[in-house]
Amino acid sequence: QGYPLMVTVGASLAETMVPVLQRRTRYLATAGCATAVLLAFAALLLWVLAGQRRVARALQASEARLAHDARHDALTGLPNRVLFQDRFTQVLDSARRHGRHAAVLYLDLDGFKPVNDQHGHATGDLLLRQVAQRLQAAVRSEDTVSRFGGDEFGIVLAEVAQPQDCEQVAAKVLAALAQPFELEGGVTARISASVGAALFPDHGHDMTTLVSHADTAMYAAKNAGRNRFSWAEPANAPPRS
């Protein structure tokens, strides 16, 4: 008589556990789905953050390129007139503080236009790039070589112990540019330069005055026969009659 009672009790317990097991199954299924959703969201968030970092890096690189392009010549990569003026201003400020000389050279290429007209702008551009390389090789790392535009260049000598130092740099520039330029298509170009220079503080005390005097001296060198160097007139020199 005890055996049927045990069967009845066992059946009642199983029936009681069925809803519990069903709820456990539903909970595990729900938890699994939630975990999958959370993992997917986390992966999406990481992807978005990584994309934002890529965009930020791209923007930074773009801003750096724009800042560089705004201060450098597109053809030669040399500092343009804007950066030239900044560098020259810094050099003059330093020269004033330490009681030193500084100098600016203004040069114009002789014979560039015939090469450009005869062989085309692409050949002329290549010639200008090679000129820029030779000019940079003729000065020290602390000096600044700039392209003003066309075939005009400027050089800031950061520190000049004596005027002869500037003359030596000018001589190196003239010698470098006097060597033949081997260009594309078997073209060999021969050019020279007319170079004018102004010395701080002998020829002026501000950038505008010094550059203007160096420019005038460059034209004096060109009018005197080209392929030569000329000093600016001293700041206190009487006007020529």
Side-chain angles (χ1 to χ4, degrees):
Q1 291 179 353
Y3 181 73
L5 178 61
M6 291 179 65
V7 172
T8 302
V9 171
S12 178
L13 180 60
E15 292 173 355
T16 302
M17 290 299 296
V18 167
V20 174
L21 293 174
Q22 290 176 341
R23 287 195 298 272
R24 179 175 180 275
T25 301
R26 287 195 299 271
Y27 171 78
L28 292 176
T30 303
C33 292
T35 301
V37 170
L38 288 175
L39 290 175
F41 178 76
L44 177 62
L45 182 60
L46 290 174
W47 181 81
V48 170
L49 292 176
Q52 290 178 337
R53 286 194 293 269
R54 288 194 296 269
V55 170
R57 287 194 296 267
L59 288 175
Q60 289 175 349
S62 178
E63 290 173 356
R65 285 194 300 270
L66 289 174
H68 178 275
D69 292 346
R71 296 164 66 85
H72 290 79
D73 176 55
L75 177 63
T76 63
L78 292 176
N80 60 16
R81 192 181 289 269
V82 173
L83 184 52
F84 170 88
Q85 292 173 344
D86 288 347
R87 297 266 182 89
F88 198 11
T89 299
Q90 295 173 11
V91 166
L92 291 177
D93 289 343
S94 177
R96 291 188 190 97
R97 286 195 305 270
H98 299 94
R100 296 195 299 250
H101 286 86
V104 57
L105 279 66
Y106 201 117
L107 65 97
D108 182 85
L109 302 182
D110 305 321
F112 170 76
K113 188 176 185 301
V115 175
N116 195 58
D117 292 344
Q118 181 179 354
H119 300 288
H121 294 299
T123 299
D125 289 348
L126 178 57
L127 176 56
L128 289 173
R129 286 194 291 268
Q130 292 190 16
V131 166
Q133 294 171 357
R134 294 192 188 186
L135 292 178
Q136 287 181 303
V139 301
R140 302 164 300 185
S141 59
E142 61 266 30
D143 300 327
T144 299
V145 178
S146 171
R147 181 183 178 222
F148 293 156
D151 58 354
E152 292 186 338
F153 296 82
I155 300 175
V156 174
L157 302 182
E159 184 176 347
V160 179
Q162 53 189 354
Q164 289 77 10
D165 294 344
C166 185
E167 294 172 357
Q168 290 176 0
V169 173
K172 287 179 62 177
V173 166
L174 292 174
L177 298 183
Q179 299 300 314
F181 290 84
E182 301 298 332
L183 307 175
E184 292 179 353
V187 175
T188 300
R190 294 182 180 273
I191 62 171
S192 61
S194 297
V195 183
L199 188 68
F200 170 85
D202 302 53
H203 301 123
H205 295 81
D206 62 90
M207 178 182 62
T208 301
T209 300
L210 290 165
V211 171
S212 177
H213 286 335
D215 185 22
T216 301
M218 180 271 291
Y219 279 106
K222 191 176 289 288
N223 292 333
R226 304 186 176 189
N227 191 29
R228 64 190 63 213
F229 166 79
S230 177
W231 275 113
E233 295 288 345
N236 57 353
R240 293 183 179 181
S241 57

